[in-house]
Amino acid sequence: MTVMCAILFATYAIFESWKTYNKSSIDTVVETTFLSYTDIAFPMLVICDSSRVDWKRVTQLTERDLPGIDSNLLPVVRKVLKTFSVLSYGDFDDFEELYNVTELSKINHLNLTELLLKVMRPCDDVFLPEGCWWNFKQVNCCEIFELQRTEFGLCHSFNSDFSEYGRVRVGENSGLIGTYWQTESGEFRPRKSSDKGQWSGIRAHISPITPEQVAPNVNAKPSIRILMGEPRGAPLGSDMVVMAGNFGNINVWGDRIYNTHRTKKLKPKQRNCYFGDESSTGMGTNYYLRRNCRTACYLFHMINHCGCYVEAMFGLMKQNDTLRPCNAEDLLCLSKKNQYFNNYIPFEQPSFFMKDKPGLKCECMPDCIHQMYIPELTIAEHTVSTIDNSSSSILIDLHFKQSACILYRSDLILGWLDLLVSFGGCAGLFLGGSLLSFIELIYFLTWRVYYHWRRTPLKSDKSKNKKKAKGRRIVTDTWTMDDCTNSKTSIP
């Protein structure tokens, strides 16, 4: 009974271990509370004018600046450019002003992105001379800020792989966490910061757009929009606004989480994340990032509904000739379908959301290796004025809030080696067994049985033969002895 109870308890414990292993559960624990930010890429910073169209430059356009356009179509071009002043993804109802324009088809051959590039404020106008510092060193703003396509249109970015310069240098290899590339000057990108607090990150003096540079009847006050996030990802997410005459102090912090290589044996839906090399996105990268997946989803929804995309909003890492940039007439389609672009629907739709309401539906899993960048913006007054004194400048300081963050590790609760150890522990605890005991059991149930079976018939045959031989000798001897006895008794 003791042996039977031990077998039952061991079987139950082994079965429970097998169920835990079969569930492939993942556990997240704190690996360290002091992961230095010097080992983490500094976040990208994107700065956009409140109006991405400088109306002074629009009014200065002539037919020489617009190939194939005569002077009679200049008012049409200006109306189109005006609608891009404060445009953002999901606000395509700004194109409603073009419904009554009957000559849009005559300017369809114009490249809207090149037009917007001509009428945006260049880097020298956006940043004040000698007005930037990086990592405690004064630098030329236009050497570290690059042209960037965002959901707000054309802007300027710092430390972004998806900038116009970064896209040419990196291409489709962008997105793999932990990899870096070099510029012509030998600088490694994405950049890193060596400290925390003000002046340790990026600090910039910015001259906001003036009211005279804003198009008529456009609600754009002297201010800037700020985007911040993963430097290897496309600009996407909530923006921050800083008005003219203010100082924007941006503290950045965020923990890091990674999945061990053991979790890679699970399917992505089981662990609810993608490793960088397990998938790609429509942004033209070989590696997966959730931010890029969301951006590609926005891009393809636009293509599915109107057959084109606003080229100034999406920077593809790889040239795709099958995607067509929108022309002037396509803007009307975006305006009509605007309801699809400003409503996000979860991919696994709960009952709370209306199933018949149109919107964006994106299947983008989290990253298995993910660094969080969480900004905290504090606004304070700033007194430095611009040259024309029409509005005050803006000072931005983006830096890490602290010197370290928490590193989390996600791993399988029970791997195959843990399962094997669990089986051995159960056998040892209840049965006093080990691996040698298991091998002995196999030996006695297989080879030992076979050997005993082969030896048993041979012994039986020999025994029978010996018994027969012994019986014959006894008969002979008895006969001989009897014969002799009889002979002796017969002698007189």
Side-chain angles (χ1 to χ4, degrees), residues 244-273:
N246 290 326
F247 166 50
N249 185 55
I250 308 175
N251 293 311
V252 180
W253 67 279
D255 299 326
R256 186 178 181 88
I257 184 171
Y258 77 97
N259 281 254
T260 62
H261 189 74
R262 294 201 312 171
T263 62
K264 212 168 186 179
K265 80 177 191 66
L266 303 179
K267 295 180 180 179
K269 288 190 176 181
Q270 286 181 285
R271 58 179 130 88
N272 194 33
C273 69

Side-chain angles (χ1 to χ4, degrees), residues 126-133 141 199 203-207 382 384 393-396:
V126 175
F127 298 95
L128 296 178
E130 307 297 330
C132 290
W133 285 262
C141 296
W199 300 89
R203 188 180 180 94
H205 283 278
I206 303 163
S207 176
H382 183 54
V384 179
S393 67
I394 297 174
L395 176 60
I396 295 297

Side-chain angles (χ1 to χ4, degrees), residues 37 51 80 157 214 291 340 409 429 453-454:
Y37 276 120
S51 173
V80 172
S157 68
V214 179
R291 175 183 290 265
Y340 291 95
R409 181 184 70 249
L429 176 64
W453 176 76
R454 289 294 304 270

Side-chain angles (χ1 to χ4, degrees), residues 473-491:
R473 286 196 299 271
I474 291 173
V475 171
T476 305
D477 291 345
T478 303
W479 179 81
T480 304
M481 290 176 64
D482 292 342
D483 184 67
C484 293
T485 302
N486 293 330
S487 299
K488 288 180 180 180
T489 55
S490 61
I491 296 173

Side-chain angles (χ1 to χ4, degrees), residues 151-443:
E151 59 178 312
F152 298 106
L154 298 177
C155 303
H156 297 89
S157 68
F158 167 80
N159 201 37
S160 172
D161 283 6
F162 271 79
S163 67
E164 294 301 284
Y165 173 77
R167 291 195 302 124
V168 174
R169 294 287 298 176
V170 186
E172 57 191 31
N173 291 324
S174 174
L176 185 62
I177 302 295
T179 58
Y180 295 87
W181 53 279
Q182 279 185 293
T183 63
E184 289 89 345
S185 61
E187 183 183 18
F188 282 95
R189 298 271 298 269
R191 299 176 175 93
K192 290 184 177 182
S193 176
S194 60
D195 207 344
K196 63 181 177 67
Q198 292 187 20
W199 300 89
S200 66
I202 178 67
R203 188 180 180 94
H205 283 278
I206 303 163
S207 176
I209 196 168
T210 62
E212 294 77 13
Q213 294 174 298
V214 179
N217 301 321
V218 172
N219 185 18
K221 297 180 180 180
S223 60
I224 58 170
R225 289 179 177 268
I226 300 173
L227 290 169
M228 190 277 305
E230 168 65 52
R232 299 175 178 88
L236 183 70
S238 301
D239 63 301
M240 299 170 284
V241 178
V242 180
M243 301 298 296
N246 290 326
F247 166 50
N249 185 55
I250 308 175
N251 293 311
V252 180
W253 67 279
D255 299 326
R256 186 178 181 88
I257 184 171
Y258 77 97
N259 281 254
T260 62
H261 189 74
R262 294 201 312 171
T263 62
K264 212 168 186 179
K265 80 177 191 66
L266 303 179
K267 295 180 180 179
K269 288 190 176 181
Q270 286 181 285
R271 58 179 130 88
N272 194 33
C273 69
Y274 271 128
F275 283 93
D277 56 352
E278 287 185 321
S279 181
S280 59
T281 61
M283 298 306 294
T285 60
N286 290 332
Y287 301 104
Y288 178 86
L289 275 179
R290 186 172 187 267
R291 175 183 290 265
N292 294 343
C293 176
R294 290 283 297 272
T295 306
C297 178
Y298 291 0
L299 168 69
F300 286 111
H301 271 86
M302 185 181 291
I303 294 173
N304 290 336
H305 289 296
C306 292
C308 65
Y309 72 103
V310 180
E311 194 178 20
M313 290 184 173
F314 302 97
L316 301 175
M317 282 292 189
K318 184 179 180 181
Q319 186 64 32
N320 191 338
D321 296 332
T322 62
L323 305 181
R324 181 178 66 85
C326 292
N327 55 38
E329 282 189 312
D330 292 326
L331 303 180
L332 300 179
C333 174
L334 295 176
S335 178
K336 294 177 181 178
K337 300 293 183 67
N338 186 58
Q339 59 178 340
Y340 291 95
F341 307 120
N342 56 20
N343 180 39
Y344 183 78
I345 302 176
F347 188 79
E348 295 182 356
Q349 187 174 351
S351 58
F352 176 80
F353 295 91
M354 296 176 58
K355 295 183 179 181
D356 57 343
K357 189 176 181 180
L360 301 172
K361 199 171 185 179
C362 306
E363 185 180 13
C364 295
M365 289 189 182
D367 304 308
C368 290
I369 302 176
H370 176 59
Q371 174 63 46
M372 293 184 288
Y373 294 97
I374 304 174
E376 295 178 353
L377 174 63
T378 304
I379 302 295
E381 291 186 359
H382 183 54
T383 58
V384 179
S385 301
T386 57
I387 297 176
D388 58 6
N389 290 323
S390 61
S391 62
S392 298
S393 67
I394 297 174
L395 176 60
I396 295 297
D397 195 307
L398 176 71
H399 52 267
F400 283 123
K401 181 180 180 180
Q402 51 202 25
S403 59
C405 66
I406 299 176
L407 176 63
Y408 294 93
R409 181 184 70 249
S410 293
D411 197 2
L412 291 174
I413 294 179
L414 201 66
W416 69 269
L417 185 59
D418 302 317
L419 180 67
L420 183 62
V421 172
S422 178
F423 284 177
C426 295
L429 176 64
F430 295 105
L431 301 174
S434 65
L435 182 61
L436 292 178
S437 303
F438 181 71
I439 294 175
E440 285 182 342
L441 182 64
I442 295 176
Y443 167 74

